Amino acid sequence: QVQLVESGGGSVQAGGSLRLSCAASGYSYNTNCIGWFRQTPGKEREGIAAIRTGRGNTYYTDSVKGRFTISLDNAKSTVDLEMRSLQPEDTAMYYCASSPTTTGPFLSPSAYNNWGQGTQVTVS
């Protein structure tokens, strides 16, 4: 099972940028997709971006399209999430997760079976 560790969270003013990184280690033969999710207290976890590790296809939820970019660095075994034009509504705990799915739905938390511990993003 691949181990996932998020980093890069923090506090930023509205309009600012942050780059989150998800470091993957361990055997990953069944990892076909890596996604980024976020969750605020009392709300369901939301899929915001995903990338297929083989094909490189990317998927975004509408609220982050044009502002967030997901990328895969195979050499470093990381999946980064570049976040620009951050707004207070982007404040959440951000998680990365891995999935064996090759058919999706790629932004559904139920498709993912392996999760990191999360990193907090606060936009004021």
Side-chain angles (χ1 to χ4, degrees):
Q1 185 82 311
V2 63
Q3 289 80 46
L4 303 173
V5 179
E6 303 94 336
S7 62
S11 297
V12 65
Q13 291 188 337
S17 301
L18 279 175
R19 187 179 185 91
L20 305 183
S21 186
C22 175
S25 61
Y27 193 49
S28 60
Y29 73 96
N30 63 343
T31 297
N32 294 311
C33 189
I34 301 258
W36 279 97
F37 300 78
R38 65 186 180 188
Q39 189 171 23
T40 55
K43 292 189 176 181
E44 294 186 354
R45 193 164 294 187
E46 174 192 22
I48 56 173
I51 186 166
R52 295 179 66 178
T53 58
R55 294 173 176 264
N57 301 58
T58 57
Y59 308 87
Y60 298 94
T61 194
D62 287 345
S63 63
V64 307
K65 283 181 181 176
R67 300 190 300 126
F68 291 11
T69 302
I70 190 170
S71 61
L72 170 66
D73 187 330
N74 281 311
K76 296 180 180 179
S77 295
T78 61
V79 175
D80 291 347
L81 185 68
E82 181 74 29
M83 307 186 295
R84 300 178 298 275
S85 301
L86 285 163
Q87 299 301 317
E89 52 265 36
D90 295 314
T91 295
M93 183 70 78
Y94 283 70
Y95 302 87
C96 67
S98 63
S99 170
T101 186
T102 57
T103 59
F106 299 106
L107 295 180
S108 173
S110 63
Y112 291 75
N113 59 2
N114 185 37
W115 294 82
Q117 293 189 331
T119 185
Q120 177 68 36
V121 171
T122 302
V123 185
S124 59

